[in-house]
Amino acid sequence: MNTTPQVHAMIVAAGCGSRFGATIAKQYTTLNHTTVLQQTLCRLASSHYIESCFLVIAADDSTARNLAFELPIHYVIGGVERWQSVQAGVRAIIDAGANDTDLIVIHDAARPAVPIEDIDKVIAAAMLEPYGAILAAPVADTLKQSKDQPKKDNSSSIGSTGNGVSYIKNTIDRNQIWQAQTPQVFRIGELNRVINYVAKHQLTITDEASAFEHLDLPIRLVRGSRQNIKLTFPEDTILLAAILSAQSSA
């Protein structure tokens, strides 16, 4: 196995972020005087492994190309589903000359607070693996599985899922439960293979590691910082701004 592969970075920024509920894509939200996407690219630029980045954007995105970034950018047009955007990015990187054993570092556009040392740590771990590695954090909270019951006419909507009222079914053992983060780092040839499998079988995946799970291929977990949160809901901006300010003054 090649233990000194080339490292290629990719940010997936083609989604609209429907849960964020804003009129602009969440990666263009301004935090601490610059956009989330620019701050995310700045983190990748600080890694000594990464020299350029493939940025996967929506076909109608008129914002990204007008921003200044700290890395040379190769633009790729993504798809409706995340796997389609990843597939487009992987193909672009392969077409640019990447080898199957090279590594691809996939990072969410809306994770601007990932510590630089964590980026380098997960890349170094992936270099030792045949398939790849991801950043993740052990779950600290108590987790509850729910069950729904139909709402009665006079029932409260508090805690409702929309179709019923939610109640606790049981507590989930969290000892082996991890919260997935990015970057997620994979051998390009293997990622290309599993993404093509997802496309062929029309599977639903929420991250790239889950594509490997469908084929029972081992992906290493690398413990990451709990500061590496993703901008998902509007209230996350307050916490992210505080984390970014604390990191810059440390």
Side-chain angles (χ1 to χ4, degrees):
M1 182 191 304
N2 181 9
T3 57
T4 57
Q6 294 293 310
V7 177
H8 309 269
M10 180 171 75
I11 284 186
V12 182
C16 62
S18 58
R19 288 179 292 178
F20 192 65
T23 56
I24 60 171
K26 62 185 178 181
Q27 61 264 26
Y28 302 126
T29 301
T30 298
L31 284 182
N32 300 356
H33 312 297
T34 188
T35 68
V36 168
L37 180 59
Q38 286 171 298
Q39 296 191 58
T40 300
L41 262 295
C42 182
R43 293 303 169 101
L44 292 186
S46 299
S47 169
H48 70 274
Y49 288 107
I50 297 171
E51 297 181 356
S52 65
C53 183
F54 286 74
L55 180 57
V56 186
I57 59 175
D60 61 352
D61 187 334
S62 60
T63 303
R65 296 179 189 270
N66 293 317
L67 295 176
F69 298 112
E70 296 190 24
L71 276 174
I73 299 297
H74 310 277
Y75 292 96
V76 181
I77 300 303
V80 176
E81 301 294 335
R82 182 182 175 92
W83 67 263
Q84 294 172 320
S85 295
V86 172
Q87 187 179 56
V90 169
R91 286 175 176 169
I93 293 173
I94 291 173
D95 288 345
N99 295 320
D100 282 354
T101 54
D102 285 350
L103 295 179
I104 181 169
V105 179
I106 303 177
H107 192 46
D108 290 329
R111 286 188 189 269
V114 57
I116 298 163
E117 58 269 25
D118 283 4
I119 299 173
D120 290 342
K121 182 168 61 174
V122 71
I123 293 172
M127 286 186 174
L128 303 176
E129 297 295 326
Y131 300 104
I134 73 168
L135 284 180
V139 171
D141 296 328
T142 298
L143 300 177
K144 301 294 185 182
Q145 185 175 4
S146 68
K147 59 181 178 181
D148 292 344
Q149 294 184 7
K151 286 191 292 186
K152 298 178 181 179
D153 291 341
N154 61 347
S155 64
S156 169
S157 62
I158 297 176
S160 171
T161 61
N163 297 320
V165 177
S166 296
Y167 293 88
I168 294 172
K169 180 179 181 181
N170 60 272
T171 299
I172 297 172
D173 182 1
R174 68 185 181 211
N175 287 332
Q176 293 183 310
I177 305 297
W178 293 65
Q179 183 175 352
Q181 301 176 346
T182 65
Q184 300 192 353
V185 188
F186 309 103
R187 301 284 173 178
I188 291 179
E190 296 296 341
L191 178 61
N192 188 45
R193 179 165 69 93
V194 299
I195 286 296
N196 288 339
Y197 180 87
V198 168
K200 179 180 179 180
H201 296 277
Q202 293 295 295
L203 302 177
T204 299
I205 61 171
T206 55
D207 70 349
E208 290 64 61
S210 57
F212 286 83
E213 293 164 28
H214 279 290
L215 293 173
D216 198 28
L217 300 174
I219 298 298
R220 182 172 171 179
L221 290 166
V222 177
R223 186 165 184 156
S225 169
R226 292 177 63 82
Q227 294 180 18
N228 184 16
I229 68 170
K230 183 179 181 181
L231 180 61
T232 303
F233 301 104
E235 57 265 33
D236 296 335
T237 58
I238 300 172
L239 182 55
L240 257 178
I243 292 172
L244 291 168
S245 294
Q247 289 177 340
S248 64
S249 61

